[in-house]
Amino acid sequence: MALRSLTPVVATALALSFLVPATASAQLGRLIRRAAADESKRQIEALVRDGVRCVFNDLACVEKAKADGKTPVMTDNDGNLITDGDGRPVTDPATAAKKMGPAQKPGTGAWANYDFVPGDRVLFFDDYSADRVGDFPRRFELTAGNWEVVEWQGRRFLRATSGGTISVPLPETLPEQFTIEFPASVQHGNAYVRLSTASVYQGTRDYAGSMPSLEYTQAGLRPQKNVGPRISTPRRQNARGDALVTFRVMADGDYMKMYLNDHRVANAPNAVFPRTKTIYISVSSATEDLPIMIGPMRIAAGGLDLYDRLERDGRVATQGILFASDSDIIRPESTPTLKEIAGMLQAHPDLSLSIEGHTDSDGDDAYNLDLSRRRAAAVKAYLVESERIDAGRLQTAGFGETKPVADNGTPEGKQQNRRVELVKQGG
């Protein structure tokens, strides 16, 4: 290996290794390894910075990136980087697809019986993009513990390195129907994430928020009086520091359901969860070596079903149809909403719809317009091909960022503007 092919720091360290006494060889070895690690880190950062992120099964994105002279960097549906065994981003779609496993479509596999429908009115959303790395997130409030915003897997996360509690102030009292969603990594075998409507640090264990305790390791439901929902990752994932599980809670009065990824793991018809204007998030057994990582958090209000709203207003917006990041590929989590739309069309054969795609204001105007059109077309294609809906009953349109329904200057507003609308046609 020629020295001129190495970076200056590594080359210098190698050259010095031939000139110094053997007693210094161990120290130089550490220097070489550290320099090589730093160089690898710089290369990874450059690849992520200069490459084009493409969802692993979005071959159109990959081809466009290559045509533009860019390197495609593979991600999962949420935009998380897919990495190899050495922690380097995967750039080959075939390799990424093998790591991700068979791509699932709405209504297939485990998603066939998945019934989580996200609330359509966003009360709170934060992806920590407005915070500085290393700071406590400005939209949360600290009760106890050590928390900070970090960059991890190419995205922002909230990291807890001790047990503690933070709270989310809401703009209104939590409604009877609501949903909560967030991805998290819980590495310690005894760690948990708990949601409640009173802090565990108020000198009493009689929490205002009372919901069944759930241990993910057993995926069992153990109702406990006055204890918030307790969630732990399965032990088979504890050894993987990059393991992410998406937690979802759906409530309708005292009827609450809990989901981990594509599995419904709790179904509680008598869970008491008092409604307040604050959600508390408590964690345990987090350390510097085994932190708890919490990703973007979304809290939303539910409401009437799609057909009732469509009859009342002539149009209805839904945020239950989800797409892979910067793509028109429909994610399998969209199954319940797509099934509800199909069921509505099957129950009302005279009903015709226009399917409209909308985006927030981030990004290029022309790109957003094209993306919204492709997403609307993808919804129609699913309904026609998978649900056997007559194509003549469905029109599509895309409006990009031109018809916002909320303020694009707020995280909640952007979430509200990223939507698919159904518009009743004819009489």
Side-chain angles (χ1 to χ4, degrees):
M1 178 171 59
L3 290 180
R4 64 176 178 273
S5 67
L6 303 174
T7 64
V9 175
V10 178
T12 301
L14 282 172
L16 287 174
S17 67
F18 297 105
L19 302 176
V20 299
T23 54
S25 62
Q27 182 176 355
L28 279 171
R30 287 194 295 272
L31 174 61
I32 293 169
R33 288 193 296 272
R34 187 181 305 117
D38 289 343
E39 175 62 18
S40 178
K41 181 179 179 181
R42 282 192 291 270
Q43 291 176 356
I44 291 173
E45 290 174 347
L47 180 60
V48 173
R49 181 184 65 248
D50 300 331
V52 177
R53 293 191 179 214
C54 295
V55 178
F56 71 98
N57 54 353
D58 189 352
L59 298 182
C61 175
V62 173
E63 292 304 316
K64 185 176 186 305
K66 291 179 178 179
D68 294 339
K70 300 284 188 178
T71 301
V73 180
M74 300 295 101
T75 75
D76 63 15
N77 284 329
D78 293 315
N80 299 308
L81 293 176
I82 300 173
T83 57
D84 61 19
D86 297 323
R88 295 183 62 83
V90 173
T91 59
D92 174 51
T95 301
K98 186 176 295 185
K99 288 180 69 68
M100 292 298 296
Q104 289 187 301
K105 297 181 179 180
T108 63
W111 302 100
N113 298 316
Y114 178 78
D115 62 351
F116 177 85
V117 178
D120 52 32
R121 185 167 60 87
V122 181
L123 301 177
F124 178 89
F125 177 82
D126 196 8
D127 59 3
Y128 322 115
S129 59
D131 298 300
R132 295 180 58 181
V133 170
D135 285 358
F136 182 84
R138 65 185 68 184
R139 301 192 66 208
F140 291 73
E141 294 182 356
L142 176 66
T143 300
N146 297 319
W147 308 76
E148 64 178 343
V149 175
V150 297
E151 289 277 0
W152 187 53
Q153 296 187 347
R155 298 172 64 194
R156 294 282 180 90
F157 281 80
L158 178 56
R159 179 173 66 185
T161 55
S162 71
T165 296
I166 55 176
S167 61
V168 180
L170 300 175
E172 62 185 67
T173 299
L174 202 63
E176 285 297 288
Q177 294 178 315
F178 69 86
T179 58
I180 301 176
E181 305 168 74
F182 60 93
S185 171
V186 185
Q187 300 178 41
H188 193 286
N190 295 322
Y192 67 73
V193 177
R194 172 178 288 145
L195 306 179
S196 62
T197 47
S199 172
V200 299
Y201 287 94
Q202 291 186 344
T204 175
R205 293 186 63 82
D206 185 22
Y207 312 139
S210 174
M211 191 175 161
S213 174
L214 177 69
E215 295 290 349
Y216 190 9
T217 46
Q218 290 83 34
L221 182 62
R222 297 188 291 113
Q224 297 179 351
K225 182 180 179 182
N226 296 327
V227 177
R230 177 171 168 165
I231 311 166
S232 300
T233 55
R235 295 189 187 281
R236 64 178 179 273
Q237 289 192 17
N238 287 341
R240 292 182 51 208
D242 62 346
L244 273 175
V245 176
T246 299
F247 299 133
R248 297 180 176 94
V249 174
M250 183 167 66
D252 185 355
D254 289 342
Y255 197 150
M256 304 188 79
K257 298 179 181 180
M258 195 177 299
Y259 308 77
L260 299 171
N261 288 338
D262 58 353
H263 301 291
R264 188 178 70 193
V265 291
N267 193 12
N270 56 346
V272 179
F273 198 80
R275 272 49 170 180
T276 70
K277 293 183 68 173
T278 305
I279 291 289
Y280 290 87
I281 306 163
S282 303
V283 300
S284 76
S285 302
T287 67
E288 288 281 352
D289 294 332
L290 296 173
I292 290 178
M293 311 287 278
I294 296 177
M297 179 161 294
R298 183 183 190 273
I299 303 173
L304 298 173
D305 64 27
L306 289 179
Y307 185 73
D308 288 342
R309 286 183 285 158
L310 189 65
E311 281 293 286
R312 184 188 65 190
D313 302 326
R315 65 169 57 232
V316 58
T318 175
Q319 295 187 334
I321 302 177
L322 307 177
F323 299 89
S325 179
D326 287 330
S327 170
D328 60 0
I329 297 174
I330 301 176
R331 291 169 50 166
E333 300 98 308
S334 308
T335 297
T337 299
L338 291 169
K339 292 289 186 182
E340 184 177 3
I341 296 171
M344 175 177 68
L345 288 164
Q346 290 161 355
H348 303 277
D350 295 332
L351 177 62
S352 295
L353 297 175
S354 174
I355 303 169
E356 298 181 352
H358 299 268
T359 72
D360 63 25
S361 60
D362 287 350
D364 178 75
D365 293 4
Y367 175 83
N368 286 339
L369 182 62
D370 177 65
L371 180 62
S372 67
R373 288 171 175 168
R374 288 189 286 116
R375 287 180 167 178
V379 174
K380 176 180 177 177
Y382 172 86
L383 293 171
V384 172
E385 296 167 10
S386 298
E387 301 295 339
R388 302 294 186 265
I389 302 299
D390 181 1
R393 299 172 61 190
L394 303 173
Q395 302 175 27
T396 65
F399 296 96
E401 60 190 72
T402 62
K403 294 188 175 184
V405 293
D407 182 5
N408 274 308
T410 68
E412 291 82 9
K414 288 182 179 180
Q415 279 279 304
Q416 203 75 30
N417 290 330
R418 295 195 287 266
R419 68 198 190 276
V420 171
E421 288 201 5
L422 308 175
V423 182
K424 187 177 181 181
Q425 299 297 291

